[in-house]
């Protein structure tokens, strides 16, 4: 069977020097081992994320996403778009759904796209990296590549919002999705049980309403500690950043002693597949994952 | 009152439900609400103070024609886009989108609360992202800190120093982006022309003359 190829939509935060650059490093390492081929969509642009709603209006936001669709179909025809970022995935999928269900919006979007020399006929499937892993490769294939199981490590899978709602991963529930726990177990670690798995980290409001967002983050980290977890693992760049970088501020505000590393699933997998700390982007942690560094060096 | 606000008041007279249905994104779903309150119970921000009205209350106010109370409300601006209300609503109302839609409409006709921090974030984010087609995270952060002037900006930046330094050390915040050395799209001109056209078409479809 010919190997499936994908159109890659890395998103703004994954770029070099940006807040999720270590996510991309680990995804590249993981995909190399799993032999997943992804080609970046030429000249892709920002999806607008959820937070742009007030300034963007509807059609300009749809046009931005449609531009990515049109570029993908033009240069990588027939390939599914794969996003690693939860917000990119959601923004694109939401746009796809609206354009496919509303001919007026689709016609207006095409009129706008014409100004950029593009035209949209077919909208590709839009998928999250995790869907490719679970649905196209499957847990057995993911397990097959494990060289160094993460034996004895206790990890809280933090699913968060936007890879879970409103679309979610097929076959999973909104209230207690299991895919991240299964990925953790696939690489030999223990997924701890805690009640904040799908609680919101505050999202973009970590910027505009820091006190409220940090109160939510505090609940998540606290519950993860209570479950015996040594670290958090997430599929979303904003979840990762919010739950990692504000721990110091939360400690000051609440007198807590949080120091919990927050990793991406792709970092876990890269390490379990025998990759180095550098392959896994561990140098990109703000709270160093020392246990993982030691593990990688073994 | 802004011109746009007057224009819309004249157009819809006392039919505020119709105004929201036609003007706010996904507003035509509002009348589906049966006032069960699952949305409020599901909202993570509902555990903090500062809400004027939970979603189901806003929807009832819309049907009751309480235009000022709805448009001036701060509730929509508290949405964290977590989609909990959206997936739990027994009537499958896209509540998250309606909250965004009402907020956007209030802002568009000049009725959003003054100095609303999340509105400012929304403006900053979109303008930042569309300037070059991709987000410049350093400029985004700077604009957010310095919105209330230099003194307050320096204070905020100092308070956030540890966070920023941690990110720079981890190579996840590139100080060079402050001087514009950042990732951008090649066809910036095409993107801007496309967005101008999209704005024009949306205003026309909604009968808004800017």
């Amino acid at each position: 069977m010919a190997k499936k190829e994908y159109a890659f939509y890395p998103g703004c935060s994954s770029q070099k020097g940006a807040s999720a650059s270590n996510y991309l490093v680990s995804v590249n390492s993981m995909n190399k081992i799993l032999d997943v081929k992804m080609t970046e969509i030429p000249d892709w642009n920002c999806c607008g994320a959820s937070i742009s709603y007030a300034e963007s209006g509807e059609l300009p936001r749809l046009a931005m996403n449609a531009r990515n669709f049109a570029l993908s179909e033009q240069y990588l025809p027939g390939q599914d778009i794969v996003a690693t970022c939860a917000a990119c995935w959601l923004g694109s999928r939401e746009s796809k759904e609206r354009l496919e269900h509303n001919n007026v919006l689709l016609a207006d979007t095409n009129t706008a796209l014409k100004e950029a020399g593009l035209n949209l006929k077919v909208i590709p499937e839009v998928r999250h990296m995790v869907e490719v892993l679970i649905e196209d490769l499957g847990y057995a294939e993911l397990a097959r590549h494990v060289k160094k199981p993460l034996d004895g490590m206790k990890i809280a899978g933090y699913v968060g919002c936007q890879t879970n709602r409103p679309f979610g991963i097929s076959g999973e529930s909104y209230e207690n999705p299991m895919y991240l726990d299964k990925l953790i177990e696939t690489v030999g670690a223990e997924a701890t049980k805690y009640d904040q798995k799908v609680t919101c980290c505050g999202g973009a409001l970590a910027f505009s309403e820091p006190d409220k967002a940090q109160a939510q983050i505090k609940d998540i980290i606290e519950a993860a500690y209570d479950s015996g977890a040594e670290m958090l693992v997430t599929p979303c760049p904003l979840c990762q950043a919010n739950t990692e970088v504000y721990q110091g501020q939360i400690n000051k505000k609440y007198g807590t002693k949080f120091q919990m590393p927050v990793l991406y699933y792709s970092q876990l997998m890269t390490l379990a597949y025998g990759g180095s700390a550098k392959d896994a982007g561990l140098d990109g942690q703000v709270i160093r994952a020392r246990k993982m560094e030691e593990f990688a060096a073994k | 009152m802004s011109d746009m606000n007057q224009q819309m008041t004249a157009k819809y007279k006392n039919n505020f439900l119709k105004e929201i249905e036609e003007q706010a994104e996904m507003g035509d779903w509002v009348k589906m609400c049966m006032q069960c309150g699952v949305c409020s119970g599901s909202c993570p921000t509902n555990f903090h103070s500062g809400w004027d009205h939970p979603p189901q209350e806003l929807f009832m106010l819309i049907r009751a024609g309480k235009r000022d109370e709805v448009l001036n409300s701060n509730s929509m601006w508290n949405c964290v886009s977590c989609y909990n209300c959206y997936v739990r609503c027994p009537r499958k109302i896209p509540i998250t989108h309606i909250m965004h839609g009402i907020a956007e409409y209030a802002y568009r006709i000049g009725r959003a609360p003054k100095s609303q921090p999340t509105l400012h974030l929304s403006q900053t984010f979109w303008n930042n992202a569309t300037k070059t087609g991709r987000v410049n995270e350093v400029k985004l952060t700077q604009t957010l800190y310095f919105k209330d002037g230099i003194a307050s900006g320096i204070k905020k930046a100092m308070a956030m120093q540890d966070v920023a330094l941690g990110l720079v050390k981890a190579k996840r915040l590139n100080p060079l982006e402050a001087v514009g050395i950042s990732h951008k799209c090649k066809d910036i001109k095409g993107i801007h022309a496309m967005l101008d056209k999209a704005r024009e078409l949306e205003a026309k479809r909604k009968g808004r003359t800017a």
Side-chain angles (χ1 to χ4, degrees), chain A residues 12-22 40-61 63-64 67 90 94 97-98 104-105 107-109 111-113 115-117 161-162 164-167 174-175 198-200 202-205 207-209 211-216 237 240-241 244-246 249 252 264 283-286, chain B residues 25-26 44-45 48-51 76-88 97 99-101 103-105 107-108 116-119 121-127 129-130 132-137 140-141 144-145 159-163 166-174 177 183-191 193-195 197-202 205-206:
Chain A
C12 302
S13 65
S14 267
Q15 299 175 103
K16 193 161 185 277
S19 56
S21 45
N22 56 334
E40 197 168 319
I41 300 169
D43 211 36
W44 58 266
N45 56 254
C46 173
C47 68
S50 302
I51 192 59
S52 70
Y53 65 82
E55 186 60 43
S56 67
E58 188 178 21
L59 195 61
R61 197 173 67 244
M64 288 291 272
R67 183 176 176 272
L90 175 57
E94 221 162 66
E97 197 176 81
R98 287 195 197 187
V104 178
L105 284 178
D108 280 358
T109 300
T111 308
L113 273 179
E115 299 289 320
C161 302
Q162 295 197 344
N164 185 41
R165 297 180 297 264
F167 297 109
Y174 297 127
E175 309 293 338
V198 295
T199 302
C200 175
L205 272 71
F207 275 117
S208 58
E209 301 274 6
D211 289 341
K212 293 178 189 173
Q214 287 179 17
Q216 291 173 212
Q240 196 284 335
E244 185 190 37
V245 306
Y246 297 115
Q249 300 226 318
K252 271 185 213 156
Y264 295 104
D283 53 349
Q285 305 307 118
V286 168
Chain B
E25 213 171 304
M26 301 279 165
T45 68
H48 309 290
S49 56
W51 271 76
M76 307 80 84
W77 302 101
N78 277 300
C79 175
V80 287
S81 308
C82 78
Y83 290 83
N84 227 356
C85 54
Y86 183 118
V87 301
R88 284 186 182 166
H97 295 152
M99 297 302 271
H100 294 177
E104 190 261 347
Y105 181 56
Y107 163 58
R108 207 62 74 192
Q116 215 303 321
T118 301
L119 167 58
L121 172 60
S122 180
Q123 295 169 306
T124 309
F125 187 91
W126 178 255
N127 293 334
T130 53
T132 64
R134 295 184 191 177
V135 172
N136 178 323
E137 290 179 344
L140 177 68
T141 315
L144 292 173
Y145 289 164
M160 292 301 283
Q161 211 178 175
D162 294 348
V163 174
L167 284 164
V168 171
K169 259 166 69 184
K171 296 195 173 56
R172 282 163 57 189
L173 194 66
N174 178 6
E177 287 192 3
H183 304 282
K184 35 180 88 94
C185 287
K186 288 192 195 86
D187 189 24
I188 298 175
K189 231 177 117 186
I191 292 174
M194 172 186 86
L195 291 174
K197 180 55 88 180
R199 274 188 288 266
E200 180 196 316
L201 291 170
E202 183 146 285
R205 181 161 42 82
K206 297 203 165 177

Side-chain angles (χ1 to χ4, degrees), chain B residues 7-69:
Chain B
Q7 189 190 324
M8 289 299 153
T9 315
K11 183 174 177 186
Y12 292 100
K13 308 227 162 44
N14 288 322
N15 197 341
F16 185 48
L17 175 63
K18 192 172 176 219
E19 183 177 348
I20 288 295
E21 284 176 335
E22 291 183 4
Q23 294 292 330
E25 213 171 304
M26 301 279 165
D28 53 343
W29 282 86
V30 165
K31 60 178 174 296
M32 289 293 291
C33 173
M34 61 180 185
Q35 296 293 305
C36 73
V38 165
C39 48
S40 317
S42 303
C43 180
T45 68
N46 200 27
F47 301 112
H48 309 290
S49 56
W51 271 76
D52 287 339
H53 317 93
Q56 89 278 9
E57 216 171 280
L58 268 187
F59 299 160
M60 187 50 100
L61 287 167
I62 292 170
R63 296 164 74 163
K66 303 280 184 193
R67 192 171 188 273
D68 288 340
E69 210 160 340

Side-chain angles (χ1 to χ4, degrees), chain A residues 22 217 221 225 230-232 239-251 257-264 267 281-293, chain B residues 162-163 165-170 172:
Chain A
N22 56 334
I217 297 167
I221 307 284
Y225 270 118
E230 304 157 279
M231 62 194 101
L232 220 57
C239 291
Q240 196 284 335
N242 279 352
T243 52
E244 185 190 37
V245 306
Y246 297 115
Q247 286 186 38
Q249 300 226 318
I250 292 169
N251 287 343
K257 289 183 180 137
F258 294 164
Q259 186 72 21
M260 183 174 278
V262 186
L263 282 82
Y264 295 104
Q267 295 182 291
L282 286 184
D283 53 349
Q285 305 307 118
V286 168
I287 296 175
R288 281 180 66 182
R290 294 185 195 279
K291 197 164 178 185
M292 284 305 194
E293 289 173 14
Chain B
D162 294 348
V163 174
L165 277 175
L167 284 164
V168 171
K169 259 166 69 184
R172 282 163 57 189

